[in-house]
């Protein structure tokens, strides 16, 4: 039977749903997948979830939605669950987009990673420019965690409770939370999170932890201390924002890092993987990128504690990379026209055992 897209309204936005009936005019079909078997089906028997960060294309683009539900079984909101997105004012919460993503995930057999409750960035002005005592800041933090996690209790399997609390040199990062509460905000956040949803796995998430160095050591000390003090932390998220080639950790390096943190009894997820290329991309660069992707994913598959890889965006047409790292781009598995890249193909072959 020929599948034709039918337009339906979900969460107030127009999306296409695959259905066998419906009378709308046919639309251009998405590019053929590189393989008959989607990544999510190949990853499942290997004990791996494969996810993507979902941003402004969500429910706006038919091909995007088709690839999203076909290839991935985990979803992170790229921005919609951040403090500034959810909290236009102290008393108001805006859950519409986050709700739509959680509903979509449930309807399509996808798990959701919650991102993120406590971070130095993307905080609203009413918070950062207000004058607060430590008690008030603590109350806002507790209330935020209780309200947001409470809303999605039982529907979000893992939360990045604290994001990027350590700076590049390994020192505690100054932030709204640090300035008001000192380092105690970290442990308090995890306790509040456990109380808000006892079933959710609670993660500390950060970047540049994959290579050995002062930042990795500092985060190791931080999470060791949390564990030793009985703070409820379940896992560590390695963001995985890499440069292609030697800017991506080798299998040996990544394995040593994962073993180091897994030995603390922590679960591991790769939470924001992208592997950027200096533009213009060439077939050679794309080939190197593809083997970088395979290396990273294969170490996760081989590490019992590692059970998920989330790519930070679905396609090169919508990625934070070009605006954040000028001159770099093409960091994802699908190109700007939604064609699967070599990285997709190589990953698909690897997961299929080819
Ligand atoms: C980025 C988003 O991709 C952008 O759209 C946004 O403008 C800024 O934040 N580490 C994180 C993510 O934990 O939340 C960031 O996401 C990328 C770096």
């Amino acid at each position: 039977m020929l599948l034709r897209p039918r337009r339906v309204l979900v969460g107030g936005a127009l999306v296409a749903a695959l259905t066998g009936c419906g009378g709308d005019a046919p639309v251009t079909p998405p590019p053929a997948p590189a393989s008959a078997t989607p990544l999510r089906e190949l990853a499942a028997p290997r004990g791996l979830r494969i996810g993507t960060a979902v941003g402004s294309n969500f429910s706006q683009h038919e091909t995007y939605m088709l690839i999203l539900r076909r290839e991935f079984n985990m979803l992170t909101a790229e921005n919609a669950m951040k403090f500034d997105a959810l909290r236009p004012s102290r008393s108001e919460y805006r859950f519409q987009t986050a709700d739509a993503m959680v509903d979509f995930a449930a309807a399509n057999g996808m798990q959701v990673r919650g991102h993120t409750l406590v971070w130095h960035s993307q905080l609203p002005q009413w918070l950062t420019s207000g004058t607060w005592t430590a008690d008030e800041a603590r109350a806002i933090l507790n209330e935020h965690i209780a309200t947001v996690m409470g809303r999605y209790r039982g529907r979000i399997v893992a939360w990045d409770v604290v994001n990027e609390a350590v700076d590049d040199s390994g020192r505690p990062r100054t932030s709204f939370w640090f300035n008001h509460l000192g380092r105690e905000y970290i442990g308090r956040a995890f306790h509040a999170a456990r109380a808000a949803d006892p079933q959710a796995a609670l993660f500390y998430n950060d970047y540049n932890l994959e290579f050995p160095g002062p930042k990795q050591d500092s985060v190791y000390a931080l999470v060791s201390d949390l564990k030793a003090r009985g703070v409820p932390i379940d896992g560590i998220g390695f963001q995985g924002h890499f440069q292609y080639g030697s800017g991506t950790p080798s299998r040996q390096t990544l394995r040593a890092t994962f073993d180091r943190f897994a030995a603390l009894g922590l679960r591991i997820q790769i939470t924001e993987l992208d592997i950027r290329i200096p533009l213009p991309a060439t077939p050679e660069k794309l080939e190197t990128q593809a083997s970088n992707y395979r290396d990273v994913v294969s170490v996760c598959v081989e590490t019992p504690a590692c059970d998920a890889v989330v790519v930070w965006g679905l396609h090169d047409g919508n990625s934070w990379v070009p605006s954040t790292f000028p001159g770099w781009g093409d960091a994802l598995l699908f190109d700007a026209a939604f064609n699967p890249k070599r990285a997709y193909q190589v990953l698909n072959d690897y997961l299929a055992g080819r």
Side-chain angles (χ1 to χ4, degrees), residues 33 40 42 48 56 70 95 112 126 146 170-171 184 188 209 212 224 237 241-242 250 259-260 275 282 286 300 323 334:
R40 60 184 277 176
L42 297 171
L48 181 75
S56 55
R70 187 184 68 208
F95 283 117
V112 180
W126 64 261
R171 280 189 282 272
E184 58 140 357
R188 282 183 180 276
L209 309 179
S224 303
H241 295 295
F242 299 132
S250 67
D259 287 349
R260 186 180 189 202
I275 304 182
T282 61
L286 291 166
C300 182
S323 55
F334 292 85

Side-chain angles (χ1 to χ4, degrees), residues 53 55 76-79 82 115-116 119 121-122 160 163-164 205-207 239 241 271-272 274 312-313 318-321 323-325:
T76 306
E78 185 174 359
N79 291 300
K82 291 174 180 173
H115 176 81
T116 177
W119 190 26
S121 184
Q122 291 181 268
D160 292 331
N163 196 32
E164 301 178 354
N205 191 54
D206 213 330
Y207 64 93
Q239 291 186 4
H241 295 295
T271 53
E272 305 183 15
D274 51 23
W312 203 243
N318 191 256
S319 154
W320 77 310
V321 167
S323 55
T324 312
F325 308 99

Side-chain angles (χ1 to χ4, degrees), residues 101-300:
M101 289 178 181
V102 172
D103 290 346
F104 173 86
N108 289 282
M110 304 165 88
Q111 291 186 347
V112 180
R113 295 195 84 261
H115 176 81
T116 177
L117 296 164
V118 187
W119 190 26
H120 65 89
S121 184
Q122 291 181 268
L123 295 173
Q125 256 228 313
W126 64 261
L127 182 67
T128 53
S129 61
T131 306
W132 313 100
T133 64
D135 280 348
E136 287 169 333
R138 199 174 293 122
I140 292 171
L141 183 75
N142 286 338
E143 173 203 296
H144 183 74
I145 292 172
T147 305
V148 176
M149 283 188 75
R151 184 175 185 88
Y152 300 115
R153 190 180 297 133
R155 304 181 73 201
I156 291 191
V157 293
W159 271 100
D160 292 331
V161 177
V162 176
N163 196 32
E164 301 178 354
V166 171
D167 74 13
D168 292 347
S169 60
R171 280 189 282 272
R173 186 189 290 278
T174 51
S175 69
F176 175 85
W177 303 114
F178 180 78
N179 294 343
H180 285 80
L181 302 174
R183 270 214 141 178
E184 58 140 357
Y185 81 87
I186 299 175
R188 282 183 180 276
F190 279 96
H191 280 294
R194 184 65 98 222
D197 184 354
Q199 289 166 36
L202 308 181
F203 277 70
Y204 175 80
N205 191 54
D206 213 330
Y207 64 93
N208 279 357
L209 309 179
E210 298 86 358
F211 291 92
K215 181 159 182 182
Q216 186 191 98
D217 290 345
S218 172
V219 169
Y220 182 82
L222 168 66
V223 295
S224 303
D225 177 61
L226 294 175
K227 289 287 279 186
R229 289 194 289 126
V231 171
I233 175 172
D234 302 305
I236 178 145
F238 292 85
Q239 291 186 4
H241 295 295
F242 299 132
Q243 299 181 1
Y244 94 118
S246 57
T248 300
S250 67
R251 283 174 41 80
Q252 291 75 3
T253 296
L254 200 56
R255 191 192 303 267
T257 299
F258 283 4
D259 287 349
R260 186 180 189 202
F261 284 89
L264 293 173
L266 293 170
R267 286 173 55 187
I268 290 170
Q269 298 189 333
I270 300 171
T271 53
E272 305 183 15
L273 181 61
D274 51 23
I275 304 182
R276 59 187 183 268
I277 288 177
L279 300 172
T282 61
E284 292 73 28
K285 291 179 192 175
L286 291 166
E287 196 63 40
T288 301
Q289 177 191 52
S291 64
N292 290 149
Y293 263 103
R294 187 190 49 220
D295 285 351
V296 171
V297 172
S298 66
V299 174
C300 182

